[in-house]
């Protein structure tokens, strides 16, 4: 039987400059599938139920503290980042008791939780546990050095690899390490910086531990793809592919019909009912909830969207902050902006923009319209080219359209304005005052004909 170890103390390293990213943003704030790298690491960290999470930052990565203001995080300022070994030493300058410590790198976002549990389980007194991985292309990583019998000798960083045969070592250091606090505090000061980069490498701890007679236990990660470290933009793209594959596999298992796993992106969460179909090139961001039988057409982008059962989004739509009832039909080429509610059976057609508006049930805006700051009832039909004129240059005003109104084509509704129930607005009208219920309201000049008018001929 495995005993449950006490709650660990977590140290997350995020003080490095991340120069290889060529970015103004600290590396751990770079986004992977819609969330900063550090958010991924923190999610895993929190799942370990730690006593404390210490995040090591430097003066150059202060922005991290501003982005992550969660109360459970303790930021430790490393000052000048002198290497990963220095970072952990600073992080453990004060520790109460002798907890197990797990070190995670802020730029290694996808380590599975069970690997971490396994490492913590074996890190007893006088023991150091290390997560390694076998990579086809080990370039850039610290290599695990072993003697011919396979006994661990240490870790060599890429820059310090002496013999060419060491370059060919495929077992790499993932950066994840577990040990008891007291053991770490004993060993860390022994790390020196007499290496190619003049840094205090945490990886030196392994040689120090072996020297001191510690047992160093390595564990080979089951899925090497999950141990990827992010140093360059290319690594971020690789990680994005890894995340995509993981998410797609999970969604396909749940029965979501994804046409092409390579052409689908989830940068947030998706809750999907049965028989949901997602065509190619779809990007889902934030929190997306799709009811039974919902279909999303090709190349549509949905952010924070909720759609009721049997709804359909046709191709090339951009929906952001939309809550729709059942059987709504949207697009192709529609843009719906935040705070929009659509009722059951609503139909939003091509080149229609809607924002901060609510529509009742079975209402339509099928072609070329702008609907902003409007309250629209049930069974309303907005003809082609209807525009709510909601902005007077200083303030936004509301348009109210009651049930069963028919607004003809090319009508401007100058807000604030109310169109009464069942009213009919003639095409081409500019409506500046409330239109009463029931009647036909027209606001356009009379049509006239000049019978003896002569067409101008060509000049000269
Ligand atoms: C590191 C490991 C390498 C391993 C690889 C796994 C060392 C010396 N090398 O190399 O063996 O294969 O990760 O991805 O540890 N950081 C600090 N303070 C510092 C320096 C770095 O907090 O003074 C942080 C960085 O922000 C980063 C992490 O530590 O999140 C790793 O640093 P990085 O420079 O990326 O190390 P690698 O060269 O990738
Ligand atoms: Ca790295």
């Amino acid at each position: 039987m495995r005993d449950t170890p006490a709650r660990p103390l977590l140290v997350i390293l995020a003080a490095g400059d991340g120069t290889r990213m060529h970015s103004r943003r600290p590396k751990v704030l770079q986004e992977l599938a819609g969330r900063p790298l550090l958010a991924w690491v923190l999610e895993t960290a929190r799942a370990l139920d730690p006593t404390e999470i210490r995040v090591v930052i430097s003066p150059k990565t202060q922005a991290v503290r501003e982005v992550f203001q969660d109360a459970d995080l303790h930021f430790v300022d490393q000052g000048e980042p002198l290497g990963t070994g220095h970072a952990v030493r600073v992080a453990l300058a004060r520790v109460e008791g002798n907890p197990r410590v797990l070190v995670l790198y802020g730029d290694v976002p996808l380590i599975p939780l069970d690997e971490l549990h396994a490492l913590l389980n074996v890190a007893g007194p006088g023991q150091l546990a290390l997560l390694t991985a076998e990579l086809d292309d080990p370039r850039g990583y610290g290599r695990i050095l072993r003697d011919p019998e396979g006994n661990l000798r240490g870790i060599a960083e890429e820059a310090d690899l002496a013999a060419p045969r060491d370059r060919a070592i495929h077992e790499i250091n993932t950066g994840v390490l577990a040990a008891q606090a007291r053991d770490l505090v004993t060993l860390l000061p022994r790390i020196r910086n007499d290496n190619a980069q003049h840094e205090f490498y945490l990886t030196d701890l392994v040689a120090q531990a072996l020297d001191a007679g510690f047992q160093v236990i390595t564990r080979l990660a089951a899925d090497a793809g999950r141990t990827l470290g992010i140093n360059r933009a290319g690594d971020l793209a690789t990680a994005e592919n890894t995340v995509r594959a993981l998410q797609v596999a999970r969604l396909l298992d749940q029965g979501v019909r994804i046409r092409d796993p390579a052409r689908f992106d989830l940068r947030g969460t998706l809750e999907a009912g049965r028989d949901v179909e997602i065509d190619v090139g779809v990007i889902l961001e934030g929190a997306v909830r799709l009811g039974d039988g919902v279909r999303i057409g090709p190349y549509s982008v949905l952010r924070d969207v909720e759609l009721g059962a049997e709804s359909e989004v046709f191709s090339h739509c951009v929906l952001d902050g939309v809550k729709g009832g059942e059987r709504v039909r949207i697009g192709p080429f529609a843009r719906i902006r935040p705070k929009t509610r659509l009722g059951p059976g609503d139909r939003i057609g091509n080149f229609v923009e809607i924002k901060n508006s609510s529509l009742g049930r079975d209402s339509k805006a099928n072609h070329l319209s702008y609907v902003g700051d409007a309250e629209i009832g049930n069974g309303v039909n907005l003809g082609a080219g209807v525009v709510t004129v909601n902005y007077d240059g200083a303030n936004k005003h509301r348009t109210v359209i009651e049930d069963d109104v028919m607004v003809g084509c090319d009508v401007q509704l100058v807000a604030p304005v109310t169109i009464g129930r069942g009213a009919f607005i003639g095409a081409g009208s500019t409506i500046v005052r409330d239109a009463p219920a029931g009647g036909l309201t027209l606001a356009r000049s009379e049509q006239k004909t000049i019978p003896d008018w002569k067409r101008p001929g060509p000049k000269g």
Side-chain angles (χ1 to χ4, degrees):
M1 211 184 84
R2 227 167 50 179
D3 63 339
T4 325
R7 296 166 68 198
L9 167 65
L10 257 71
V11 175
I12 301 176
L13 305 190
D17 297 342
T19 37
R20 290 167 283 182
M21 284 308 287
H22 303 290
S23 167
R24 278 171 300 181
R25 250 195 290 179
K27 182 162 63 181
V28 298
L29 296 184
Q30 302 289 335
E31 288 202 353
L32 168 61
R35 289 197 292 164
L37 289 179
L38 186 59
W40 291 85
V41 181
L42 285 174
E43 187 185 279
T44 319
R46 289 186 175 122
L48 291 163
D49 188 27
T51 53
E52 208 185 309
I53 301 177
R54 299 187 181 177
V55 182
V56 184
I57 55 171
S58 69
K60 278 194 188 161
T61 63
Q62 286 297 326
V64 176
R65 198 197 287 261
E66 282 143 38
V67 174
F68 290 88
Q69 303 200 342
D70 319 54
D72 63 336
L73 302 182
H74 298 262
F75 288 95
V76 178
D77 198 330
Q78 193 189 347
E80 193 188 341
L82 300 176
T84 47
H86 178 248
V88 177
R89 197 176 164 183
V90 173
L92 297 181
R94 265 186 299 275
V95 185
E96 262 178 50
N98 188 22
R100 276 171 223 239
V101 177
L102 180 72
V103 178
L104 298 175
Y105 287 5
D107 67 345
V108 183
L110 300 175
I111 304 271
L113 191 60
D114 55 350
E115 302 281 11
L116 301 181
H117 275 302
L119 272 201
L120 281 166
N121 275 335
V122 296
Q127 289 169 324
L128 197 73
L130 201 69
L131 187 66
T132 72
E134 287 273 1
L135 293 189
D136 291 335
D137 180 4
R139 269 177 305 170
Y141 290 91
R143 309 294 209 286
I144 305 296
L145 306 178
R146 295 183 185 276
D147 67 19
E149 281 75 50
N151 299 313
L152 188 68
R153 283 193 293 125
I155 301 177
E157 290 305 303
E158 171 99 19
D160 300 288
L161 287 173
R165 75 183 141 75
D166 288 346
R167 275 179 205 288
I169 295 172
H170 290 273
E171 191 185 3
I172 62 100
N173 168 38
T174 64
V176 181
L177 173 146
Q180 296 215 316
R182 276 197 202 126
D183 290 337
L184 285 172
V185 170
T186 308
L187 294 174
L188 283 163
R190 301 185 191 171
I191 295 176
R192 296 203 314 273
N193 66 347
D194 51 350
N195 50 52
Q197 303 188 86
H198 304 293
E199 280 184 18
F200 295 90
Y201 294 154
L202 182 62
T203 45
D204 239 22
L205 202 70
V206 172
Q208 298 297 345
L210 291 171
D211 266 2
F214 278 59
Q215 189 192 4
V216 184
I217 302 154
T218 61
R219 180 186 160 82
L220 191 66
D223 182 353
R226 304 281 299 267
T227 67
L228 176 81
I230 310 295
N231 295 319
R232 299 179 169 78
D235 299 328
L236 214 44
T238 306
E240 195 89 25
N241 280 325
T242 305
V243 171
R244 178 185 302 116
L246 289 168
Q247 285 171 330
V248 165
R250 184 173 48 79
L251 293 171
L252 290 172
D253 273 354
Q254 292 168 11
V256 179
R257 240 63 61 71
I258 295 170
R259 278 286 169 89
D260 181 357
R263 287 184 289 169
F264 165 72
D265 286 273
L266 176 58
R267 299 175 189 158
T269 57
L270 169 61
E271 253 179 69
R274 285 171 187 276
D275 300 304
V276 166
E277 288 180 34
I278 299 177
D279 215 322
V280 301
V282 168
I283 300 176
L284 305 182
E285 300 179 335
V288 175
R289 295 175 66 187
L290 305 176
D292 292 347
V294 167
R295 299 200 300 198
I296 310 294
Y299 305 105
S300 285
V301 181
L302 279 62
R303 178 182 185 85
D304 295 323
V305 169
E306 190 179 326
L307 294 175
E310 310 303 331
S311 292
E312 183 155 11
V313 176
F314 298 94
S315 72
H316 296 92
C317 291
V318 180
L319 313 184
D320 180 1
V322 181
K323 202 167 168 193
E326 298 182 350
R327 290 173 291 99
V328 302
R329 289 152 71 82
I330 301 171
F333 300 101
R335 178 176 185 210
I336 309 189
R337 294 163 52 199
K339 296 197 207 149
T340 296
R341 281 171 171 270
L342 301 176
D346 284 347
R347 173 81 181 93
I348 308 304
N350 40 250
F351 308 108
V352 173
E353 176 181 347
I354 305 182
K355 74 126 214 203
N356 188 27
S357 295
S358 68
L359 279 76
R361 57 170 57 231
D362 300 315
S363 288
K364 293 182 193 138
N366 269 332
H367 332 266
L368 298 155
S369 279
Y370 171 64
V371 177
D373 307 305
E375 231 166 88
I376 295 175
N378 303 325
V380 169
N381 190 340
L382 303 182
V386 169
V387 169
T388 55
V389 183
N390 60 329
Y391 186 52
D392 60 13
N395 296 297
K396 300 279 171 65
H397 301 281
R398 291 198 72 76
T399 300
V400 177
I401 303 177
E402 294 177 358
D403 294 349
D404 303 317
V405 163
M406 165 82 202
V407 182
C409 293
D410 195 23
V411 167
Q412 296 98 57
L413 302 166
V414 181
V417 69
T418 297
I419 312 297
R421 189 186 177 103
F424 199 110
I425 306 296
S429 296
T430 298
I431 302 295
V432 294
R433 287 191 305 274
D434 291 352
L440 166 65
T441 300
L442 286 165
R444 62 185 190 214
S445 45
E446 287 284 340
Q447 178 167 327
K448 59 183 174 192
T449 303
I450 300 164
D452 53 358
W453 177 80
K454 290 253 171 346
R455 258 194 216 203
K459 274 191 187 158

